[in-house]
Amino acid sequence: MSTTCEHSWGEDGFCEICGLAASSPTPVAEVAPEPVQVRECPSCGAPLDDRFCEDCGADSLATPQPRSAPAVATEEPPPVTSARTWSVVVSADRKYYESVKADGGPDADTIMFPPYCPDRHFELHGEQVSIGRRSATRGIQPDIDLTGPPEDPGVSRLHALLVAEADGGWAIVDINSANGTTLNYRRDMLKPNTPRTLEDGDRVHIGAWTTITLHAD
């Protein structure tokens, strides 16, 4: 569609005022381009070019989740360890020896208290710890070997067991020994083959003068 203006036209067919040609189309006003909207990730706020966020992997078509506050680094306390280390001390116990003599047990008068017997220390590991005196002919090698010198003849070759319990503690079991096993200076014998739970500081008495004291470190 052609148009003319109200100005004067020159011989060359163009308006002398606006320069419009006689056959020029109606000028169209320039339209400013619409601003490009930047999409943001609904989860982390990062610029979003596609459906899935390149920063956090969130799906932009899914239901928007509230943005979580940035994590604050905190110093964690060291782990608490409840495990205890157990050990025993084997000693020559004169108090126990005197009680055995007072009871008048077999051969009590013939067994002498040793003039010198240093304490022996053993750590407890595994599920059970055997106590006794080794015997090569019988193939007995106890974990707590009380073979002398000095040697308590009242201790059986395989006298007792220390058995680990589920809570981390230990129990004592008399293995049907010849002279029995007692606790904490009491004279009533433990029932054979029956575990008795021990506490820190308990004393296990075997033989004529041997005391085994339990310690939790």
Side-chain angles (χ1 to χ4, degrees):
M1 176 180 179
S2 300
T3 183
T4 59
C5 65
E6 297 178 353
H7 306 136
S8 59
W9 291 80
E11 294 179 357
D12 56 358
F14 291 91
C15 176
E16 296 178 349
I17 303 300
C18 65
L20 183 67
S23 60
S24 298
T26 304
V28 178
E30 294 184 359
V31 179
E34 295 183 0
V36 177
Q37 294 184 352
V38 179
R39 298 171 60 204
E40 291 186 355
C41 172
S43 295
C44 69
L48 195 64
D49 295 330
D50 207 339
R51 173 176 173 177
F52 295 94
C53 177
E54 295 182 358
D55 285 10
C56 68
D59 185 354
S60 63
L61 300 183
T63 304
Q65 300 294 327
R67 297 181 188 176
S68 58
V72 178
T74 57
E75 185 177 352
E76 296 184 359
V80 178
T81 303
S82 58
R84 308 172 76 182
T85 302
W86 295 84
S87 62
V88 296
V89 177
V90 181
S91 58
D93 188 342
R94 181 172 287 277
K95 179 179 178 179
Y96 169 59
Y97 169 75
E98 295 293 346
S99 68
V100 172
K101 288 193 65 175
D103 288 346
D107 302 323
D109 292 335
T110 63
I111 299 175
M112 303 302 296
F113 187 79
Y116 175 72
C117 183
D119 290 347
R120 285 169 282 183
H121 300 258
F122 299 88
E123 290 189 0
L124 303 184
H125 300 287
E127 296 182 358
Q128 65 180 34
V129 177
S130 57
I131 304 169
R133 293 183 296 132
R134 70 175 177 270
S135 172
T137 57
R138 297 174 60 186
I140 297 176
Q141 297 288 338
D143 300 305
I144 298 178
D145 184 8
L146 302 182
T147 304
E151 184 167 301
D152 186 340
V155 176
S156 298
R157 294 297 179 180
L158 186 57
H159 195 107
L161 289 176
L162 287 164
V163 181
E165 296 193 307
D167 62 356
W170 290 83
I172 186 69
V173 182
D174 180 84
I175 310 299
N176 203 23
S177 63
N179 297 311
T181 302
T182 60
L183 289 179
N184 300 321
Y185 300 109
R186 298 181 59 179
R187 295 308 300 151
D188 51 318
M189 300 289 182
L190 296 183
K191 183 179 180 181
N193 304 311
T194 304
R196 173 73 68 87
T197 298
L198 299 175
E199 302 291 341
D200 182 20
D202 275 351
R203 294 175 172 86
V204 177
H205 309 294
I206 61 177
W209 43 261
T210 301
T211 291
I212 302 172
T213 306
L214 189 72
H215 293 285
D217 301 329

